[in-house]
Structures are given as C-alpha cells and as structure tokens.
Amino acid sequence: MTKDLPEALTGGCLCGGVRYRINGKCRDIINCHCENCRRTHGHIAAYTSVDQSALALIRQQTLQWYHDESPNTYRGFCNRCGASLFWDARDGRNKIAVSAGSLDNSHELKTIGHVYVSEAAKYYEIDDGLPSFETSNSGALESD
Ligand SMILES: [Zn+2]
C-alpha cells in the first residue's frame, strides 16, 4: 500500500553529497533479491517507490547514474561515498524506487514482500512469511 506521511520524508547518502525530499505518497518497502540489486547494494535491495514528481533533489552534486543494461534501467548512486539511492526504469511508468536504507529514520513504512526470489542468494533464508514472487510482483503489492 502507499502511505500519506504526516510530513515530507527526507533522506540521503552517507556523505551528504546527495539529499532528497519526498513530497507525496510512499509505497511500503519491497525487498528485491535479484542479482543486479545484490551486487550493487551489497545485499538485497529494500525500496520504497514514489511518483517521479514527488522526488525533489535537495543536493545532487555527487549523484551519478549507472546504466544497468540488462534489464535496461538506471541506478542512482553517490560517486563519493558509494551509496545506492535510486532505481529508475525510465520506461514511462512515472515511478522511481528509493532505497529504504537511505531514508532518514522518521517514517512508518513497513516491509511488505519480496520480489525476484528466484535469484536470491543461498547464504540467507527468506522466512518472514511475507508474500514472495519469483520475479516481479506485477503490481500485486502496489495497490493503494
Ligand atoms: Zn555520498
């Protein structure tokens, strides 16, 4: 589900080179287990998702975009401290994923499921009982 938060949510990278504000609804957190997310995040990726227009970059001097060619997506990261921040499909869906770990710790978002568990690594178990999807959740977890 998406949540109207009482105040605009803020977040940023470790070094402060990237800071953002979210002026709108945030989807609850979905963990992505795909190999590409694991390689760039160092473990699974936990993401909220917001409207593109809701994400305001306050500081972006060290924000850089990595073109992930397969699948064709763009990953926003800090080129100074290495933080993984954004995932943007740029396919017209008007949503951008924001890494949950980069959010300032003042929100009530909860983890609601797992995607791409077919690519999960073998060093951990997924045993929290939340809905899991072999690949994309195809919108099943996105409803308002
Ligand atoms: Zn940084």
Side-chain angles (χ1 to χ4, degrees):
M1 63 182 290
T2 58
K3 288 179 177 164
D4 270 320
L5 302 167
E7 295 175 26
L9 207 53
T10 54
C13 70
L14 175 60
C15 75
V18 183
R19 291 291 301 169
Y20 61 81
R21 179 187 300 113
I22 297 168
N23 305 299
K25 293 185 176 186
C26 294
R27 188 199 65 205
D28 272 319
I29 309 300
I30 295 176
N31 292 337
C32 182
H33 297 259
C34 85
E35 181 174 354
N36 289 21
C37 275
R38 285 191 289 105
R39 288 194 184 279
T40 189
H41 285 261
H43 185 41
I44 63 174
Y47 281 122
T48 182
S49 177
V50 304
D51 287 344
Q52 294 270 5
S53 60
L55 179 66
L57 293 169
I58 302 165
R59 296 188 68 189
Q60 54 179 315
Q61 62 192 87
T62 58
L63 177 61
Q64 194 166 333
W65 291 92
Y66 173 73
H67 182 207
D68 195 352
E69 293 185 9
S70 180
N72 181 25
T73 58
Y74 293 83
R75 295 178 180 273
F77 67 99
C78 174
N79 67 19
R80 186 163 59 196
C81 70
S84 297
L85 296 163
F86 308 119
W87 183 92
D88 187 353
R90 298 188 188 172
D91 63 354
R93 78 178 79 175
N94 191 37
K95 293 284 185 183
I96 186 166
V98 178
S99 66
S102 72
L103 294 168
D104 294 339
N105 198 20
S106 59
H107 60 81
E108 297 180 356
L109 301 174
K110 301 295 183 197
T111 302
I112 56 171
H114 302 273
V115 296
Y116 289 91
V117 299
S118 60
E119 297 182 32
K122 294 181 170 53
Y123 66 87
Y124 59 87
E125 300 293 328
I126 302 170
D127 56 5
D128 55 18
L130 294 171
S132 294
F133 298 83
E134 288 295 301
T135 58
S136 166
N137 74 86
S138 301
L141 296 171
E142 318 275 345
S143 60
D144 287 318

